[in-house]
Amino acid sequence: DQQVKQNSPSLSVQEGRISILNCDYTNSMFDYFLWYKKYPAEGPTFLISISSIKDKNEDGRFTVFLNKSAKHLSLHIVPSQPGDSAVYFCAASADSRGSTLGRLYFGRGTQLTVWP
Amino acid sequence: DAGITQSPRHKVTETGTPVTLRCHQTENHRYMYWYRQDPGHGLRLIHYSYGVKDTDKGEVSDGYSVSRSKTEDFLLTLESATSSQTSVYFCAIGLAYEQYFGPGTRLTVT
C-alpha cells in the first residue's frame, strides 16, 4: 500500500515558468518530508526538505509547502530551467530525530520536462 | 559526492544464478540501505543496516539477503536470481533526513 503518492507521472513546463510538483501521504506519523531529484543513469540527489513543524521551506528557486491537515506537500520551482528536467521523488519519514533506522518511503516519481 | 560506490555498475545474469552487489562508502556512516527502482514503483527499500552485522528487512526483502562485516561495505545477494529482480539497485547511506545515494547498479536477469 503506497503511503506516499505522486499522482502525476509527468509534468511539462516552459522555461521561466513555475513548476509545481505534488505529493500526498497517508501516514499521519510522518514528520519529515524530502524531495529528491534524479537524472538518468545517476542516483537520486537530495534537493530540499521540510519538517512537520513548518509549513514552508525555501532554498533559492525551490520552495516546499506542507499542508498537514490535507496530508499534502508540493514543490515549487521558480523560474524553471531546462536543467531542472529530471524525475522528482517525494519521500517521507517518521523518524526525523534520526534515533533509529531512518527509513524513507518514496512516491513513484514525477518526470519534469522544462522546454525552452 | 558522498563517497559511495557501487559495483558492478551493470550486470546481466541468467535465471537461477546467485548475484552479489557491493556498496562501498568512505564516510564511515553507520546506516546503509539497499533500494530497488522500478518503473511505476519509485524507490522501494529492500534491506538496511544500522551497524556492522546489524541488518533488517525492508518492504521488498523476499529473495534477497544482505551482509555487513565492515562499516564501509554492505553487500546485497540474490540467492537465485529471477526475472522479477531485473531492476536498478541503489545503495544509500545516512539517516532519514539526510540520505545520500550511490550511482546505482543496473541488473538484468534473463
Side-chain angles (χ1 to χ4, degrees), chain A residues 32 34 36 38 41-44 89 93 96 100-104 106-108, chain B residues 9 31 33 35 37 40-43 45 48 90 95-97 99 101-103:
Chain A
Y32 204 82
L34 309 91
Y36 282 81
K38 185 184 180 305
E42 295 183 9
F89 289 102
S93 172
S96 61
T100 55
L101 50 83
R103 289 179 58 167
L104 285 177
F106 284 85
R108 296 178 177 179
Chain B
R9 293 293 314 277
Y31 296 94
Y33 310 83
Y35 292 88
Q37 186 199 0
H41 288 280
L43 288 150
L45 183 66
Y48 58 94
F90 289 102
L95 294 173
Y97 48 89
Q99 282 192 22
F101 285 80

PDB file of all heavy atoms in Angstrom, chain A residues 32 34 36 38 41-44 89 93 96 100-104 106-108, chain B residues 9 31 33 35 37 40-43 45 48 90 95-97 99 101-103:
ATOM      1  N   TYR A  32       8.677  14.195   8.627  1.00  0.00           N
ATOM      2  CA  TYR A  32       9.733  14.845   7.857  1.00  0.00           C
ATOM      3  C   TYR A  32       9.579  14.444   6.407  1.00  0.00           C
ATOM      4  O   TYR A  32       9.330  13.271   6.109  1.00  0.00           O
ATOM      5  CB  TYR A  32      11.106  14.421   8.390  1.00  0.00           C
ATOM      6  CG  TYR A  32      12.187  15.418   8.094  1.00  0.00           C
ATOM      7  CD1 TYR A  32      12.361  16.537   8.913  1.00  0.00           C
ATOM      8  CD2 TYR A  32      13.040  15.264   7.005  1.00  0.00           C
ATOM      9  CE1 TYR A  32      13.341  17.461   8.659  1.00  0.00           C
ATOM     10  CE2 TYR A  32      14.022  16.192   6.755  1.00  0.00           C
ATOM     11  CZ  TYR A  32      14.176  17.290   7.571  1.00  0.00           C
ATOM     12  OH  TYR A  32      15.149  18.216   7.326  1.00  0.00           O
ATOM     13  N   LEU A  34      10.909  15.007   2.218  1.00  0.00           N
ATOM     14  CA  LEU A  34      12.063  15.350   1.402  1.00  0.00           C
ATOM     15  C   LEU A  34      11.698  15.260  -0.076  1.00  0.00           C
ATOM     16  O   LEU A  34      10.811  14.497  -0.464  1.00  0.00           O
ATOM     17  CB  LEU A  34      13.229  14.391   1.670  1.00  0.00           C
ATOM     18  CG  LEU A  34      13.647  14.171   3.130  1.00  0.00           C
ATOM     19  CD1 LEU A  34      12.896  12.984   3.742  1.00  0.00           C
ATOM     20  CD2 LEU A  34      15.146  13.932   3.219  1.00  0.00           C
ATOM     21  N   TYR A  36      13.746  14.534  -3.726  1.00  0.00           N
ATOM     22  CA  TYR A  36      14.972  14.133  -4.383  1.00  0.00           C
ATOM     23  C   TYR A  36      14.794  14.344  -5.881  1.00  0.00           C
ATOM     24  O   TYR A  36      13.711  14.179  -6.430  1.00  0.00           O
ATOM     25  CB  TYR A  36      15.276  12.661  -4.121  1.00  0.00           C
ATOM     26  CG  TYR A  36      15.872  12.360  -2.769  1.00  0.00           C
ATOM     27  CD1 TYR A  36      15.067  12.251  -1.633  1.00  0.00           C
ATOM     28  CD2 TYR A  36      17.242  12.190  -2.626  1.00  0.00           C
ATOM     29  CE1 TYR A  36      15.616  11.983  -0.395  1.00  0.00           C
ATOM     30  CE2 TYR A  36      17.805  11.916  -1.388  1.00  0.00           C
ATOM     31  CZ  TYR A  36      16.984  11.803  -0.286  1.00  0.00           C
ATOM     32  OH  TYR A  36      17.537  11.542   0.935  1.00  0.00           O
ATOM     33  N   LYS A  38      16.362  13.149  -9.675  1.00  0.00           N
ATOM     34  CA  LYS A  38      17.145  12.065 -10.273  1.00  0.00           C
ATOM     35  C   LYS A  38      17.272  12.263 -11.775  1.00  0.00           C
ATOM     36  O   LYS A  38      16.277  12.348 -12.495  1.00  0.00           O
ATOM     37  CB  LYS A  38      16.495  10.708  -9.991  1.00  0.00           C
ATOM     38  CG  LYS A  38      17.342   9.539 -10.501  1.00  0.00           C
ATOM     39  CD  LYS A  38      16.672   8.227 -10.303  1.00  0.00           C
ATOM     40  CE  LYS A  38      17.563   7.117 -10.842  1.00  0.00           C
ATOM     41  NZ  LYS A  38      17.951   7.318 -12.257  1.00  0.00           N
ATOM     42  N   ALA A  41      20.576   7.506 -15.277  1.00  0.00           N
ATOM     43  CA  ALA A  41      21.840   6.824 -15.024  1.00  0.00           C
ATOM     44  C   ALA A  41      22.614   7.385 -13.824  1.00  0.00           C
ATOM     45  O   ALA A  41      23.829   7.171 -13.704  1.00  0.00           O
ATOM     46  CB  ALA A  41      22.733   6.834 -16.256  1.00  0.00           C
ATOM     47  N   GLU A  42      21.926   8.113 -12.958  1.00  0.00           N
ATOM     48  CA  GLU A  42      22.550   8.607 -11.733  1.00  0.00           C
ATOM     49  C   GLU A  42      21.678   8.247 -10.542  1.00  0.00           C
ATOM     50  O   GLU A  42      20.495   7.929 -10.685  1.00  0.00           O
ATOM     51  CB  GLU A  42      22.731  10.124 -11.777  1.00  0.00           C
ATOM     52  CG  GLU A  42      23.691  10.603 -12.844  1.00  0.00           C
ATOM     53  CD  GLU A  42      23.865  12.113 -12.783  1.00  0.00           C
ATOM     54  OE1 GLU A  42      23.381  12.736 -11.805  1.00  0.00           O
ATOM     55  OE2 GLU A  42      24.466  12.681 -13.702  1.00  0.00           O
ATOM     56  N   GLY A  43      22.277   8.303  -9.349  1.00  0.00           N
ATOM     57  CA  GLY A  43      21.485   8.104  -8.153  1.00  0.00           C
ATOM     58  C   GLY A  43      20.693   9.350  -7.808  1.00  0.00           C
ATOM     59  O   GLY A  43      21.025  10.448  -8.241  1.00  0.00           O
ATOM     60  N   PRO A  44      19.617   9.194  -7.034  1.00  0.00           N
ATOM     61  CA  PRO A  44      18.864  10.370  -6.589  1.00  0.00           C
ATOM     62  C   PRO A  44      19.734  11.293  -5.749  1.00  0.00           C
ATOM     63  O   PRO A  44      20.600  10.829  -5.000  1.00  0.00           O
ATOM     64  CB  PRO A  44      17.743   9.762  -5.733  1.00  0.00           C
ATOM     65  CG  PRO A  44      17.652   8.343  -6.160  1.00  0.00           C
ATOM     66  CD  PRO A  44      19.039   7.946  -6.534  1.00  0.00           C
ATOM     67  N   PHE A  89      11.329  12.773  -6.873  1.00  0.00           N
ATOM     68  CA  PHE A  89      10.719  11.859  -5.922  1.00  0.00           C
ATOM     69  C   PHE A  89      10.406  12.595  -4.629  1.00  0.00           C
ATOM     70  O   PHE A  89      11.251  13.302  -4.079  1.00  0.00           O
ATOM     71  CB  PHE A  89      11.664  10.698  -5.604  1.00  0.00           C
ATOM     72  CG  PHE A  89      11.857   9.724  -6.731  1.00  0.00           C
ATOM     73  CD1 PHE A  89      13.006   9.778  -7.505  1.00  0.00           C
ATOM     74  CD2 PHE A  89      10.901   8.765  -7.004  1.00  0.00           C
ATOM     75  CE1 PHE A  89      13.194   8.879  -8.545  1.00  0.00           C
ATOM     76  CE2 PHE A  89      11.074   7.863  -8.042  1.00  0.00           C
ATOM     77  CZ  PHE A  89      12.234   7.927  -8.817  1.00  0.00           C
ATOM     78  N   SER A  93       9.392  10.426   6.146  1.00  0.00           N
ATOM     79  CA  SER A  93       9.955   9.642   7.240  1.00  0.00           C
ATOM     80  C   SER A  93       9.183   9.893   8.512  1.00  0.00           C
ATOM     81  O   SER A  93       8.661  10.984   8.736  1.00  0.00           O
ATOM     82  CB  SER A  93      11.414  10.014   7.447  1.00  0.00           C
ATOM     83  OG  SER A  93      11.912   9.409   8.614  1.00  0.00           O
ATOM     84  N   SER A  96      12.295  11.794  12.186  1.00  0.00           N
ATOM     85  CA  SER A  96      13.074  12.992  11.895  1.00  0.00           C
ATOM     86  C   SER A  96      14.204  13.200  12.887  1.00  0.00           C
ATOM     87  O   SER A  96      15.174  13.869  12.598  1.00  0.00           O
ATOM     88  CB  SER A  96      12.170  14.227  11.890  1.00  0.00           C
ATOM     89  OG  SER A  96      11.571  14.389  13.171  1.00  0.00           O
ATOM     90  N   THR A 100      16.468   6.080  15.187  1.00  0.00           N
ATOM     91  CA  THR A 100      16.506   4.658  14.854  1.00  0.00           C
ATOM     92  C   THR A 100      16.950   4.458  13.414  1.00  0.00           C
ATOM     93  O   THR A 100      18.011   4.894  13.035  1.00  0.00           O
ATOM     94  CB  THR A 100      15.136   3.983  15.089  1.00  0.00           C
ATOM     95  OG1 THR A 100      14.148   4.699  14.348  1.00  0.00           O
ATOM     96  CG2 THR A 100      14.771   4.007  16.553  1.00  0.00           C
ATOM     97  N   LEU A 101      16.163   3.833  12.632  1.00  0.00           N
ATOM     98  CA  LEU A 101      16.672   3.350  11.366  1.00  0.00           C
ATOM     99  C   LEU A 101      16.534   4.313  10.212  1.00  0.00           C
ATOM    100  O   LEU A 101      17.108   4.092   9.174  1.00  0.00           O
ATOM    101  CB  LEU A 101      15.974   2.033  11.040  1.00  0.00           C
ATOM    102  CG  LEU A 101      14.432   2.030  11.150  1.00  0.00           C
ATOM    103  CD1 LEU A 101      13.801   2.567   9.900  1.00  0.00           C
ATOM    104  CD2 LEU A 101      13.939   0.638  11.424  1.00  0.00           C
ATOM    105  N   GLY A 102      15.777   5.380  10.360  1.00  0.00           N
ATOM    106  CA  GLY A 102      15.720   6.375   9.301  1.00  0.00           C
ATOM    107  C   GLY A 102      15.174   5.881   8.000  1.00  0.00           C
ATOM    108  O   GLY A 102      15.717   6.175   6.940  1.00  0.00           O
ATOM    109  N   ARG A 103      14.084   5.140   8.025  1.00  0.00           N
ATOM    110  CA  ARG A 103      13.518   4.647   6.783  1.00  0.00           C
ATOM    111  C   ARG A 103      12.785   5.743   6.042  1.00  0.00           C
ATOM    112  O   ARG A 103      12.076   6.545   6.629  1.00  0.00           O
ATOM    113  CB  ARG A 103      12.562   3.493   7.069  1.00  0.00           C
ATOM    114  CG  ARG A 103      13.257   2.230   7.503  1.00  0.00           C
ATOM    115  CD  ARG A 103      12.275   1.123   7.788  1.00  0.00           C
ATOM    116  NE  ARG A 103      11.449   0.827   6.614  1.00  0.00           N
ATOM    117  CZ  ARG A 103      10.694  -0.255   6.527  1.00  0.00           C
ATOM    118  NH1 ARG A 103      10.657  -1.112   7.515  1.00  0.00           N
ATOM    119  NH2 ARG A 103       9.949  -0.459   5.457  1.00  0.00           N
ATOM    120  N   LEU A 104      12.991   5.758   4.741  1.00  0.00           N
ATOM    121  CA  LEU A 104      12.292   6.686   3.869  1.00  0.00           C
ATOM    122  C   LEU A 104      11.269   5.919   3.045  1.00  0.00           C
ATOM    123  O   LEU A 104      11.544   4.812   2.583  1.00  0.00           O
ATOM    124  CB  LEU A 104      13.258   7.394   2.923  1.00  0.00           C
ATOM    125  CG  LEU A 104      14.137   8.497   3.503  1.00  0.00           C
ATOM    126  CD1 LEU A 104      15.073   9.042   2.436  1.00  0.00           C
ATOM    127  CD2 LEU A 104      13.295   9.611   4.092  1.00  0.00           C
ATOM    128  N   PHE A 106       9.082   6.362  -0.384  1.00  0.00           N
ATOM    129  CA  PHE A 106       9.125   7.166  -1.597  1.00  0.00           C
ATOM    130  C   PHE A 106       7.836   7.070  -2.397  1.00  0.00           C
ATOM    131  O   PHE A 106       7.182   6.029  -2.430  1.00  0.00           O
ATOM    132  CB  PHE A 106      10.271   6.699  -2.499  1.00  0.00           C
ATOM    133  CG  PHE A 106      11.622   7.133  -2.046  1.00  0.00           C
ATOM    134  CD1 PHE A 106      12.322   6.394  -1.108  1.00  0.00           C
ATOM    135  CD2 PHE A 106      12.205   8.275  -2.562  1.00  0.00           C
ATOM    136  CE1 PHE A 106      13.577   6.787  -0.683  1.00  0.00           C
ATOM    137  CE2 PHE A 106      13.458   8.681  -2.150  1.00  0.00           C
ATOM    138  CZ  PHE A 106      14.147   7.937  -1.214  1.00  0.00           C
ATOM    139  N   GLY A 107       7.518   8.172  -3.075  1.00  0.00           N
ATOM    140  CA  GLY A 107       6.500   8.144  -4.102  1.00  0.00           C
ATOM    141  C   GLY A 107       7.076   7.560  -5.383  1.00  0.00           C
ATOM    142  O   GLY A 107       8.261   7.236  -5.463  1.00  0.00           O
ATOM    143  N   ARG A 108       6.221   7.458  -6.395  1.00  0.00           N
ATOM    144  CA  ARG A 108       6.637   6.827  -7.640  1.00  0.00           C
ATOM    145  C   ARG A 108       7.379   7.781  -8.565  1.00  0.00           C
ATOM    146  O   ARG A 108       7.925   7.340  -9.579  1.00  0.00           O
ATOM    147  CB  ARG A 108       5.428   6.240  -8.358  1.00  0.00           C
ATOM    148  CG  ARG A 108       4.775   5.135  -7.566  1.00  0.00           C
ATOM    149  CD  ARG A 108       3.544   4.581  -8.243  1.00  0.00           C
ATOM    150  NE  ARG A 108       2.979   3.478  -7.477  1.00  0.00           N
ATOM    151  CZ  ARG A 108       1.884   2.820  -7.825  1.00  0.00           C
ATOM    152  NH1 ARG A 108       1.220   3.149  -8.927  1.00  0.00           N
ATOM    153  NH2 ARG A 108       1.432   1.825  -7.079  1.00  0.00           N
TER     154      ARG A 108
ATOM    155  N   ARG B   9      28.487  -1.842 -12.010  1.00  0.00           N
ATOM    156  CA  ARG B   9      27.510  -0.827 -12.410  1.00  0.00           C
ATOM    157  C   ARG B   9      26.450  -1.431 -13.332  1.00  0.00           C
ATOM    158  O   ARG B   9      25.314  -0.965 -13.372  1.00  0.00           O
ATOM    159  CB  ARG B   9      28.206   0.317 -13.132  1.00  0.00           C
ATOM    160  CG  ARG B   9      29.137   1.129 -12.257  1.00  0.00           C
ATOM    161  CD  ARG B   9      28.371   1.912 -11.162  1.00  0.00           C
ATOM    162  NE  ARG B   9      27.207   2.599 -11.673  1.00  0.00           N
ATOM    163  CZ  ARG B   9      27.235   3.777 -12.263  1.00  0.00           C
ATOM    164  NH1 ARG B   9      28.384   4.402 -12.419  1.00  0.00           N
ATOM    165  NH2 ARG B   9      26.102   4.346 -12.690  1.00  0.00           N
ATOM    166  N   TYR B  31      24.579   3.965   9.099  1.00  0.00           N
ATOM    167  CA  TYR B  31      23.379   3.464   8.443  1.00  0.00           C
ATOM    168  C   TYR B  31      23.592   3.307   6.942  1.00  0.00           C
ATOM    169  O   TYR B  31      24.084   4.221   6.284  1.00  0.00           O
ATOM    170  CB  TYR B  31      22.202   4.416   8.680  1.00  0.00           C
ATOM    171  CG  TYR B  31      21.793   4.523  10.127  1.00  0.00           C
ATOM    172  CD1 TYR B  31      22.306   5.527  10.943  1.00  0.00           C
ATOM    173  CD2 TYR B  31      20.892   3.622  10.679  1.00  0.00           C
ATOM    174  CE1 TYR B  31      21.937   5.631  12.267  1.00  0.00           C
ATOM    175  CE2 TYR B  31      20.516   3.710  12.002  1.00  0.00           C
ATOM    176  CZ  TYR B  31      21.039   4.715  12.800  1.00  0.00           C
ATOM    177  OH  TYR B  31      20.677   4.801  14.111  1.00  0.00           O
ATOM    178  N   TYR B  33      21.614   1.433   3.289  1.00  0.00           N
ATOM    179  CA  TYR B  33      20.337   0.949   2.773  1.00  0.00           C
ATOM    180  C   TYR B  33      20.512   0.409   1.349  1.00  0.00           C
ATOM    181  O   TYR B  33      21.348   0.893   0.594  1.00  0.00           O
ATOM    182  CB  TYR B  33      19.314   2.099   2.710  1.00  0.00           C
ATOM    183  CG  TYR B  33      19.185   2.899   3.984  1.00  0.00           C
ATOM    184  CD1 TYR B  33      20.073   3.929   4.266  1.00  0.00           C
ATOM    185  CD2 TYR B  33      18.171   2.634   4.893  1.00  0.00           C
ATOM    186  CE1 TYR B  33      19.957   4.676   5.438  1.00  0.00           C
ATOM    187  CE2 TYR B  33      18.051   3.376   6.068  1.00  0.00           C
ATOM    188  CZ  TYR B  33      18.947   4.390   6.325  1.00  0.00           C
ATOM    189  OH  TYR B  33      18.841   5.123   7.481  1.00  0.00           O
ATOM    190  N   TYR B  35      17.994  -0.095  -2.005  1.00  0.00           N
ATOM    191  CA  TYR B  35      16.708   0.146  -2.634  1.00  0.00           C
ATOM    192  C   TYR B  35      16.730  -0.455  -4.039  1.00  0.00           C
ATOM    193  O   TYR B  35      17.783  -0.622  -4.652  1.00  0.00           O
ATOM    194  CB  TYR B  35      16.448   1.648  -2.798  1.00  0.00           C
ATOM    195  CG  TYR B  35      16.237   2.428  -1.527  1.00  0.00           C
ATOM    196  CD1 TYR B  35      17.308   2.982  -0.831  1.00  0.00           C
ATOM    197  CD2 TYR B  35      14.958   2.659  -1.035  1.00  0.00           C
ATOM    198  CE1 TYR B  35      17.109   3.728   0.324  1.00  0.00           C
ATOM    199  CE2 TYR B  35      14.748   3.412   0.118  1.00  0.00           C
ATOM    200  CZ  TYR B  35      15.831   3.934   0.783  1.00  0.00           C
ATOM    201  OH  TYR B  35      15.623   4.683   1.920  1.00  0.00           O
ATOM    202  N   GLN B  37      14.722   0.358  -7.821  1.00  0.00           N
ATOM    203  CA  GLN B  37      13.870   1.309  -8.525  1.00  0.00           C
ATOM    204  C   GLN B  37      13.297   0.643  -9.760  1.00  0.00           C
ATOM    205  O   GLN B  37      14.049   0.139 -10.602  1.00  0.00           O
ATOM    206  CB  GLN B  37      14.624   2.563  -8.962  1.00  0.00           C
ATOM    207  CG  GLN B  37      13.687   3.609  -9.575  1.00  0.00           C
ATOM    208  CD  GLN B  37      14.395   4.627 -10.414  1.00  0.00           C
ATOM    209  OE1 GLN B  37      15.613   4.604 -10.580  1.00  0.00           O
ATOM    210  NE2 GLN B  37      13.645   5.564 -10.950  1.00  0.00           N
ATOM    211  N   GLY B  40       7.049   2.849 -12.331  1.00  0.00           N
ATOM    212  CA  GLY B  40       5.743   2.763 -11.703  1.00  0.00           C
ATOM    213  C   GLY B  40       5.761   2.443 -10.228  1.00  0.00           C
ATOM    214  O   GLY B  40       4.707   2.382  -9.588  1.00  0.00           O
ATOM    215  N   HIS B  41       6.953   2.236  -9.671  1.00  0.00           N
ATOM    216  CA  HIS B  41       7.045   1.887  -8.248  1.00  0.00           C
ATOM    217  C   HIS B  41       7.924   2.841  -7.452  1.00  0.00           C
ATOM    218  O   HIS B  41       7.987   2.756  -6.242  1.00  0.00           O
ATOM    219  CB  HIS B  41       7.581   0.471  -8.080  1.00  0.00           C
ATOM    220  CG  HIS B  41       6.607  -0.593  -8.474  1.00  0.00           C
ATOM    221  ND1 HIS B  41       5.580  -1.022  -7.646  1.00  0.00           N
ATOM    222  CD2 HIS B  41       6.480  -1.294  -9.611  1.00  0.00           C
ATOM    223  CE1 HIS B  41       4.890  -1.953  -8.260  1.00  0.00           C
ATOM    224  NE2 HIS B  41       5.402  -2.139  -9.454  1.00  0.00           N
ATOM    225  N   GLY B  42       8.650   3.689  -8.088  1.00  0.00           N
ATOM    226  CA  GLY B  42       9.558   4.546  -7.349  1.00  0.00           C
ATOM    227  C   GLY B  42      10.682   3.741  -6.737  1.00  0.00           C
ATOM    228  O   GLY B  42      11.132   2.739  -7.290  1.00  0.00           O
ATOM    229  N   LEU B  43      11.120   4.182  -5.570  1.00  0.00           N
ATOM    230  CA  LEU B  43      12.202   3.509  -4.847  1.00  0.00           C
ATOM    231  C   LEU B  43      11.611   2.710  -3.691  1.00  0.00           C
ATOM    232  O   LEU B  43      10.858   3.252  -2.882  1.00  0.00           O
ATOM    233  CB  LEU B  43      13.190   4.542  -4.301  1.00  0.00           C
ATOM    234  CG  LEU B  43      14.066   5.212  -5.344  1.00  0.00           C
ATOM    235  CD1 LEU B  43      14.437   6.612  -4.912  1.00  0.00           C
ATOM    236  CD2 LEU B  43      15.323   4.400  -5.576  1.00  0.00           C
ATOM    237  N   LEU B  45      12.506   0.008  -0.435  1.00  0.00           N
ATOM    238  CA  LEU B  45      13.565  -0.449   0.449  1.00  0.00           C
ATOM    239  C   LEU B  45      13.617  -1.974   0.491  1.00  0.00           C
ATOM    240  O   LEU B  45      12.609  -2.634   0.739  1.00  0.00           O
ATOM    241  CB  LEU B  45      13.343   0.112   1.851  1.00  0.00           C
ATOM    242  CG  LEU B  45      14.397  -0.215   2.900  1.00  0.00           C
ATOM    243  CD1 LEU B  45      15.730   0.438   2.543  1.00  0.00           C
ATOM    244  CD2 LEU B  45      13.933   0.240   4.277  1.00  0.00           C
ATOM    245  N   TYR B  48      18.198  -2.910   5.130  1.00  0.00           N
ATOM    246  CA  TYR B  48      19.005  -1.815   5.649  1.00  0.00           C
ATOM    247  C   TYR B  48      19.900  -2.338   6.771  1.00  0.00           C
ATOM    248  O   TYR B  48      19.697  -3.438   7.301  1.00  0.00           O
ATOM    249  CB  TYR B  48      18.127  -0.666   6.141  1.00  0.00           C
ATOM    250  CG  TYR B  48      17.142  -1.053   7.218  1.00  0.00           C
ATOM    251  CD1 TYR B  48      17.462  -0.895   8.562  1.00  0.00           C
ATOM    252  CD2 TYR B  48      15.887  -1.554   6.896  1.00  0.00           C
ATOM    253  CE1 TYR B  48      16.564  -1.241   9.545  1.00  0.00           C
ATOM    254  CE2 TYR B  48      14.982  -1.901   7.869  1.00  0.00           C
ATOM    255  CZ  TYR B  48      15.317  -1.740   9.191  1.00  0.00           C
ATOM    256  OH  TYR B  48      14.427  -2.082  10.177  1.00  0.00           O
ATOM    257  N   PHE B  90      19.952   0.718  -5.893  1.00  0.00           N
ATOM    258  CA  PHE B  90      20.672   1.853  -5.325  1.00  0.00           C
ATOM    259  C   PHE B  90      21.018   1.560  -3.875  1.00  0.00           C
ATOM    260  O   PHE B  90      20.193   1.080  -3.097  1.00  0.00           O
ATOM    261  CB  PHE B  90      19.835   3.121  -5.382  1.00  0.00           C
ATOM    262  CG  PHE B  90      19.652   3.668  -6.764  1.00  0.00           C
ATOM    263  CD1 PHE B  90      18.476   3.466  -7.450  1.00  0.00           C
ATOM    264  CD2 PHE B  90      20.678   4.389  -7.370  1.00  0.00           C
ATOM    265  CE1 PHE B  90      18.314   3.969  -8.730  1.00  0.00           C
ATOM    266  CE2 PHE B  90      20.520   4.895  -8.651  1.00  0.00           C
ATOM    267  CZ  PHE B  90      19.333   4.679  -9.332  1.00  0.00           C
ATOM    268  N   LEU B  95      20.896   9.071   7.475  1.00  0.00           N
ATOM    269  CA  LEU B  95      19.673   8.998   8.265  1.00  0.00           C
ATOM    270  C   LEU B  95      18.501   9.476   7.428  1.00  0.00           C
ATOM    271  O   LEU B  95      18.682   9.928   6.312  1.00  0.00           O
ATOM    272  CB  LEU B  95      19.815   9.845   9.535  1.00  0.00           C
ATOM    273  CG  LEU B  95      20.853   9.354  10.517  1.00  0.00           C
ATOM    274  CD1 LEU B  95      21.020  10.350  11.652  1.00  0.00           C
ATOM    275  CD2 LEU B  95      20.449   7.990  11.056  1.00  0.00           C
ATOM    276  N   ALA B  96      17.324   9.402   7.991  1.00  0.00           N
ATOM    277  CA  ALA B  96      16.111   9.696   7.217  1.00  0.00           C
ATOM    278  C   ALA B  96      16.175  11.057   6.554  1.00  0.00           C
ATOM    279  O   ALA B  96      15.791  11.208   5.408  1.00  0.00           O
ATOM    280  CB  ALA B  96      14.892   9.618   8.107  1.00  0.00           C
ATOM    281  N   TYR B  97      16.661  12.051   7.283  1.00  0.00           N
ATOM    282  CA  TYR B  97      16.633  13.399   6.738  1.00  0.00           C
ATOM    283  C   TYR B  97      17.884  13.737   5.944  1.00  0.00           C
ATOM    284  O   TYR B  97      18.069  14.851   5.504  1.00  0.00           O
ATOM    285  CB  TYR B  97      16.447  14.403   7.878  1.00  0.00           C
ATOM    286  CG  TYR B  97      17.367  14.162   9.050  1.00  0.00           C
ATOM    287  CD1 TYR B  97      18.623  14.743   9.101  1.00  0.00           C
ATOM    288  CD2 TYR B  97      16.975  13.350  10.099  1.00  0.00           C
ATOM    289  CE1 TYR B  97      19.461  14.499  10.164  1.00  0.00           C
ATOM    290  CE2 TYR B  97      17.799  13.108  11.176  1.00  0.00           C
ATOM    291  CZ  TYR B  97      19.045  13.685  11.199  1.00  0.00           C
ATOM    292  OH  TYR B  97      19.869  13.454  12.258  1.00  0.00           O
ATOM    293  N   GLN B  99      19.841  11.208   3.483  1.00  0.00           N
ATOM    294  CA  GLN B  99      20.334  10.008   2.815  1.00  0.00           C
ATOM    295  C   GLN B  99      20.989  10.372   1.500  1.00  0.00           C
ATOM    296  O   GLN B  99      20.465  11.167   0.726  1.00  0.00           O
ATOM    297  CB  GLN B  99      19.190   9.013   2.574  1.00  0.00           C
ATOM    298  CG  GLN B  99      18.805   8.236   3.817  1.00  0.00           C
ATOM    299  CD  GLN B  99      17.884   7.070   3.541  1.00  0.00           C
ATOM    300  OE1 GLN B  99      17.812   6.558   2.430  1.00  0.00           O
ATOM    301  NE2 GLN B  99      17.172   6.645   4.565  1.00  0.00           N
ATOM    302  N   PHE B 101      22.736   8.799  -2.008  1.00  0.00           N
ATOM    303  CA  PHE B 101      22.626   7.611  -2.832  1.00  0.00           C
ATOM    304  C   PHE B 101      23.868   7.399  -3.693  1.00  0.00           C
ATOM    305  O   PHE B 101      24.514   8.345  -4.145  1.00  0.00           O
ATOM    306  CB  PHE B 101      21.404   7.717  -3.745  1.00  0.00           C
ATOM    307  CG  PHE B 101      20.116   7.505  -3.023  1.00  0.00           C
ATOM    308  CD1 PHE B 101      19.547   8.519  -2.278  1.00  0.00           C
ATOM    309  CD2 PHE B 101      19.473   6.278  -3.069  1.00  0.00           C
ATOM    310  CE1 PHE B 101      18.353   8.322  -1.598  1.00  0.00           C
ATOM    311  CE2 PHE B 101      18.278   6.066  -2.403  1.00  0.00           C
ATOM    312  CZ  PHE B 101      17.722   7.091  -1.662  1.00  0.00           C
ATOM    313  N   GLY B 102      24.150   6.130  -3.935  1.00  0.00           N
ATOM    314  CA  GLY B 102      25.190   5.766  -4.875  1.00  0.00           C
ATOM    315  C   GLY B 102      24.683   5.882  -6.305  1.00  0.00           C
ATOM    316  O   GLY B 102      23.523   6.204  -6.542  1.00  0.00           O
ATOM    317  N   PRO B 103      25.553   5.569  -7.291  1.00  0.00           N
ATOM    318  CA  PRO B 103      25.195   5.763  -8.697  1.00  0.00           C
ATOM    319  C   PRO B 103      24.280   4.678  -9.255  1.00  0.00           C
ATOM    320  O   PRO B 103      23.742   4.834 -10.340  1.00  0.00           O
ATOM    321  CB  PRO B 103      26.549   5.740  -9.403  1.00  0.00           C
ATOM    322  CG  PRO B 103      27.405   4.890  -8.531  1.00  0.00           C
ATOM    323  CD  PRO B 103      26.957   5.173  -7.130  1.00  0.00           C
TER     324      PRO B 103
END
